[in-house]
């Protein structure tokens, strides 16, 4: 097998591989920067919880219309936004902290979603909802992924300054502006939107992987925000390409292959990343002689 056959041939020969590649790259472009902000705001597990939160809405859409992209997307959006609002309400009106409230709602959502899908669908339908079907992206799914990536990048550009300030010093932002609350909810909306888009390709259980693993890997290559965005998008894109190729050549499930590829890149970054990687921390410090 030549290098062309191994790396380029699958995409040149098969339209479904090209669609999967374009869809995965679009998802990487929008989800990776969101993951960086989640990491900086110490909300990494929030993405995982919200990924589970969209499951009941997607399940209701499935019960109503089957494997219909518009119905499942709308259901997922409604469920995700509802859980975010309910979490904020419980955290502000009771003694329960936001992380505990979110954990409670996401566990309920996961159990409810799996139960709803199981009521009507087969095990194949359940696997499709939980783990996605990136090799079966149609025109509607492609437009959704591209649209969500575009909306995400534009929205992040518009709220960039207050969002960064909220990550660094939320107290100062509250003292000089009332934008903190609206920006927080806009950001949560973007998280839900990208998880719903990722759900179409990777399923509810893996969508958060392409969001958080590249962001975590990027932290080991730069301390500056802009390079971190670039590295996260690059890692997510490389993981998408590698996962698709591994899935094609070794007949593995595509979604998990993409996330495992991102995990490998994360472990490499942990080991050799020059901004806090293990090898750089273990390297002996250089001593300079006086002239």
């Amino acid at each position: 097998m030549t290098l062309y056959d191994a790396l380029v041939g699958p995409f040149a020969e098969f339209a479904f591989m090209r669609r999967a590649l374009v869809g995965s790259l679009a998802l990487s472009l929008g989800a990776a920067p969101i993951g960086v902000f989640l990491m900086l705001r110490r909300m990494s597990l929030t993405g995982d919880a919200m990924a589970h939160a969209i499951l009941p809405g997607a399940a209701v859409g499935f019960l109503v219309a089957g494997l219909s992209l518009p119905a499942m997307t709308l259901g997922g959006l409604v469920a995700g936004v509802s859980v975010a609002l309910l979490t904020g309400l419980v955290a502000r009106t009771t003694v329960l902290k936001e992380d505990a409230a979110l954990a409670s709602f996401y566990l309920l959502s996961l159990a409810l979603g799996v139960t709803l899908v199981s009521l009507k669908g087969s095990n194949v339908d359940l696997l499709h909802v939980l783990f996605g079907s990136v090799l079966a992206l149609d025109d509607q799914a492609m437009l959704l992924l591209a649209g969500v990536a575009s909306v995400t990048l534009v929205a992040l550009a518009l709220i960039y300054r207050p969002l960064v300030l909220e990550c660094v010093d939320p107290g100062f932002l509250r003292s000089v502006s009332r934008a903190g609350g609206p920006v927080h909810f806009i950001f949560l909306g973007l998280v839900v939107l990208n998880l719903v888009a990722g759900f179409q390709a990777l399923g509810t259980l893996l969508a958060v992987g392409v969001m958080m693993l590249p962001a975590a890997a990027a932290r080991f290559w730069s301390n500056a925000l802009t390079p971190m965005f670039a590295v996260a998008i690059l890692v997510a894109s490389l993981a998408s390409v590698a996962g698709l190729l591994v899935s094609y050549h070794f007949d593995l499930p595509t979604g998990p292959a993409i996330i495992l590829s991102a995990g490998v890149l994360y472990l490499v970054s942990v080991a050799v990343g020059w901004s806090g990687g293990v090898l750089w921390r273990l390297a002996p410090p250089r001593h300079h002689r006086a002239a």
Side-chain angles (χ1 to χ4, degrees), residues 235-274:
V235 169
S237 301
L238 288 175
S240 297
V241 175
L244 287 169
L245 290 173
V246 168
S247 170
Y248 175 83
H249 289 297
F250 298 98
D251 195 25
L252 297 175
T254 310
I258 291 175
I259 303 305
L260 285 173
S261 298
V264 169
L265 293 174
Y266 165 73
L267 293 176
V268 170
S269 301
V270 171
V272 302
W274 55 64

Side-chain angles (χ1 to χ4, degrees), residues 1-282:
M1 179 184 295
T2 66
L3 193 61
Y4 176 88
D5 292 332
L7 302 181
V8 181
F11 301 112
E13 187 174 352
F14 298 106
F16 70 88
M17 288 291 289
R18 293 194 294 272
R19 285 175 171 272
L21 177 62
V22 173
S24 300
L25 292 179
L27 181 62
S28 302
L29 192 62
I34 293 292
V36 171
F37 276 116
L38 283 172
M39 180 183 65
L40 293 177
R41 293 159 64 98
R42 298 182 180 179
M43 294 172 61
S44 298
L45 291 179
T46 300
D48 184 53
M50 295 306 296
H52 293 79
I54 68 175
L55 184 55
V60 170
F62 171 76
L63 289 175
V64 172
L67 292 172
S68 167
L69 176 63
M72 296 177 72
T73 298
L74 180 61
L77 279 174
V78 171
V81 171
S82 298
V83 167
L85 293 176
L86 286 172
T87 298
L89 180 64
V90 170
R92 285 163 176 76
T93 58
T94 70
V95 296
L96 204 61
K97 298 296 184 182
E98 188 172 24
D99 59 339
L102 184 60
S104 302
F105 280 118
Y106 107 72
L107 289 171
L108 288 171
S109 298
L110 178 60
L112 178 61
V114 172
T115 302
L116 288 174
V117 175
S118 300
L119 287 177
K120 180 181 177 182
S122 64
N123 289 335
V124 174
D125 295 323
L126 181 60
L127 289 175
H128 174 86
V129 172
L130 293 178
F131 300 108
S133 183
V134 68
L135 294 181
L137 295 178
D138 56 14
D139 290 342
Q140 283 185 321
M142 297 282 286
L143 288 172
L144 174 66
L145 289 166
V148 167
S150 301
V151 169
T152 299
L153 294 177
V154 171
L156 287 179
L158 292 175
I159 64 172
Y160 181 80
R161 294 185 66 180
L163 192 56
V164 171
L165 192 55
E166 191 183 27
C167 294
V168 177
D169 193 346
F172 176 74
L173 178 62
R174 286 194 296 269
S175 68
V176 299
S177 172
R178 295 182 178 178
V183 164
H184 179 71
F185 282 107
I186 291 172
F187 177 70
L188 285 181
L190 292 176
V191 173
V192 172
L193 195 62
N194 278 272
L195 288 173
V196 169
F199 152 76
Q200 304 301 332
L202 301 176
T204 55
L205 298 186
L206 296 178
V208 70
V210 79
M211 184 178 287
M212 294 312 309
L213 283 171
R219 178 59 186 83
F220 290 98
W221 297 102
S222 177
N223 290 321
L225 198 53
T226 301
M228 222 182 289
F229 289 144
V231 173
I233 292 172
L234 178 62
V235 169
S237 301
L238 288 175
S240 297
V241 175
L244 287 169
L245 290 173
V246 168
S247 170
Y248 175 83
H249 289 297
F250 298 98
D251 195 25
L252 297 175
T254 310
I258 291 175
I259 303 305
L260 285 173
S261 298
V264 169
L265 293 174
Y266 165 73
L267 293 176
V268 170
S269 301
V270 171
V272 302
W274 55 64
S275 181
V278 173
L279 292 183
W280 289 92
R281 284 182 173 272
L282 294 178

